[in-house]
Amino acid sequence: MTQHSQLVLGIESSCDETGVALYGEQGLLAETLYSQVEMHAEYGGVVPELASRDHVRKLLPLIKQCFANADISAKDLSGVAYTAGPGLVGALFAGISVARSLAYGWNIPSIGVHHMEGHLLAPMLEEESPSFPFIALLVSGGHTQLIKVNQVGDYQLLGESLDDAAGEAFDKTAKLLQLGYPGGPALAKFAEQGDPKRFTFPRPMTNRPGLDFSFSGLKTFALTTSQKNTLDQQTRADIACAFEDAVADTLSIKCKRALKQTGLSTLVVAGGVSANKRLRSSLNAMCQTLNARAFYPRHEFCTDNGAMIAYAGYQRLLAGEHDPLRIQARPRWPLADLKIPQAL
Ligand code: KG4
Ligand code: ZN
């Protein structure tokens, strides 16, 4: 076993995925993930109490598995990072309690990480990673935000969704089209059979200035379109296709505006919806017109995972940050409230 001078255990439990990873000087050493998707599918969405209980069941076995995969033991660790928010409070507390107790028992520092900071730093885990400053488009089940990222911890909110998040709109439209849960990937797959020319959905808030979004109207548009037509298999696929196009196009228009407005040429796209192929090709085409470049996490790090939390925590612990003795879960937590780590 090699000596690890800085090695951080990362724990993610903010929603319906239990993620654990080890990140150190040599990069990502191991990661384990358990998705609760099957358990929640029966209910058509995440049931918070069931999520919390399952995190409690899975966390320690996943941590043990991660140690075994990386061939390390607790004495090799220099810190523990965990998601402190935003998220479901019970689910957050499952991860927080385990992380804080282990760190206390092992006599090493711990650090609470902002879930969206984890997402926006996830592309840093790739070999070809973006350099600061850049524009980040965060598109998940709970957030749609455009952020100017100057460095780790220096986040300026440029725009956000005034109602539904992009992932939420995908999930709700998928439900309407009887595609089950989780809706985003199911809708994307189903849309491949659709005719992109049959319906044209609006591009909300693109014909007025600003960088905010609104996606709840698209879900309503999908509903009225489905009511006006016979809802056979092809029509459902055509609606899915037009909906996906509208989301991808709207996000691309706003990203282009943000890049032009700031004069930056690097775009980072992260969060569950960044896995969407249609969105990626639309953003890549837009970036080409500006001589800009888009960076994405690898597919499995688009959605929730422990690696992004281990990475963000590693950066902050390395800079000398650690938790106070008080324990706090933050179900709501503006990203712009974060501070730059002192030593950076
Ligand atoms: O980042 P994430 O795993 O969890 C949150 O922090 O919310 O994002 C989950 C969201 C869900 O709304 C899911 O439907 C959406 O990301 N999503 C997708 C795709 N994969 C996941 N949406 C569209 N296309 C996809 N391929
Ligand atoms: Zn997430």
Side-chain angles (χ1 to χ4, degrees), residues 13-31:
S13 74
S14 67
C15 191
D16 57 349
E17 242 102 48
T18 321
V20 177
L22 289 160
Y23 186 91
E25 264 163 27
Q26 291 127 337
L28 188 64
L29 293 193
E31 55 114 12

Side-chain angles (χ1 to χ4, degrees), residues 2 38 48 51 100 109 175 221-222 234 317:
T2 48
E38 268 178 40
R100 294 290 304 255
K175 204 168 205 173
F221 202 87
Q234 189 58 50
L317 284 163

Side-chain angles (χ1 to χ4, degrees), residues 17 115 119 140-142 167-168 170-171 183-185 188 271-273 275-276 302-304:
E17 242 102 48
H115 181 77
H119 273 305
S140 70
E168 191 180 356
F170 263 99
D171 293 337
V273 185
N276 187 276
C302 289
T303 44
D304 295 346

